[in-house]
Amino acid sequence: KSLKECNQEWNNAGTTATLVIITPNHVGCFWVGDSCAYMYQVGDLIKLTSPIHTLAEEMIKNGESKDILEKQPFLNSILTRCVGHESHNPDSVIVDITNPFLLIVGSDGVFGFLDESEIKQIIHSTLSPDFNIQKIADEIVKRSLEQGSDDNVTVIVSLVLPSQQAKKTFKRITKVRDWSI
């Protein structure tokens, strides 16, 4: 039996999933739910996971004002697509990479409490000739907790370097296992 089958309260429960695949010159991002992924490249923060799958995002897409979130912030917590409730195909994006960048992937417990300008400020304040990726991750977690996050606070920060040399040795995967969400 699954956990959901063992507890009736969890019948409508689901979770989010964000998968990032990096090749020598591309980043592929696949997601269902509201866990986010960003690329920080040359001073610019690019959100890979857009749109996120929440009721608030759906309402804004359908013409509601963003002011509704200030009045009813719980709308950001209601998922319209998730893993484990109904079958959904993930949204996806593939981005060419030519410059080094930071990849930041995290749960809604992080990005639900930090806006993009705060994330950029954290990265700017920790970048130096001897910068430490762990310091960036620690600061993002610390700030989201200070902002009141009471949810899962998980973040992964990676430095990704595109490689022309790797292009020559890159091996194509010829068999991929079937999987569904």
Side-chain angles (χ1 to χ4, degrees):
K1 278 188 161 182
S2 71
L3 281 174
K4 280 175 62 172
E5 292 169 332
C6 294
N7 189 334
Q8 292 297 320
E9 293 176 18
W10 294 351
N11 275 345
N12 292 323
T15 191
T16 64
T18 301
L19 170 69
V20 178
I21 299 173
I22 302 168
T23 68
N25 295 299
H26 299 91
V27 172
C29 184
F30 307 84
W31 71 97
V32 175
D34 60 351
S35 294
C36 294
Y38 290 91
M39 289 176 60
Y40 178 83
Q41 187 176 43
V42 194
D44 196 18
L45 189 65
I46 302 159
K47 188 173 188 178
L48 298 173
T49 50
S50 184
I52 57 174
H53 305 128
T54 64
L55 184 55
E57 191 78 23
E58 289 287 324
M59 292 173 74
I60 291 167
K61 185 173 83 177
N62 292 328
E64 289 285 338
S65 168
K66 288 186 179 189
D67 295 338
I68 196 166
L69 298 179
E70 289 179 20
K71 297 174 189 167
Q72 300 177 39
F74 68 90
L75 296 173
N76 267 325
S77 299
I78 300 171
L79 295 175
T80 56
R81 290 176 56 192
C82 63
V83 177
H85 181 55
E86 294 177 14
S87 181
H88 293 288
N89 290 327
D91 280 335
S92 63
V93 65
I94 296 176
V95 178
D96 294 336
I97 56 172
T98 56
N99 296 312
F101 68 92
L102 289 176
L103 176 68
I104 304 116
V105 182
S107 65
D108 63 318
V110 172
F111 297 119
F113 292 84
L114 293 178
D115 63 31
E116 291 180 8
S117 64
E118 290 173 292
I119 297 164
K120 282 176 75 170
Q121 190 276 325
I122 291 167
I123 294 169
H124 284 287
S125 70
T126 54
L127 285 180
S128 65
D130 61 337
F131 86 100
N132 181 321
I133 291 174
Q134 186 65 48
K135 285 182 185 178
I136 295 170
D138 290 345
E139 188 63 24
I140 289 172
V141 167
K142 178 182 161 207
R143 293 260 192 100
S144 62
L145 291 170
E146 288 173 352
Q147 296 287 345
S149 179
D150 58 355
D151 201 346
N152 175 8
V153 177
T154 302
V155 70
I156 299 168
V157 179
S158 299
L159 176 62
V160 179
L161 304 170
S163 171
Q164 295 304 318
Q165 183 68 19
K167 206 176 200 181
K168 296 176 185 173
T169 60
F170 181 66
K171 194 173 179 181
R172 184 180 177 117
I173 299 173
T174 56
K175 184 175 181 180
V176 178
R177 290 184 68 191
D178 290 335
W179 62 280
S180 63
I181 298 179

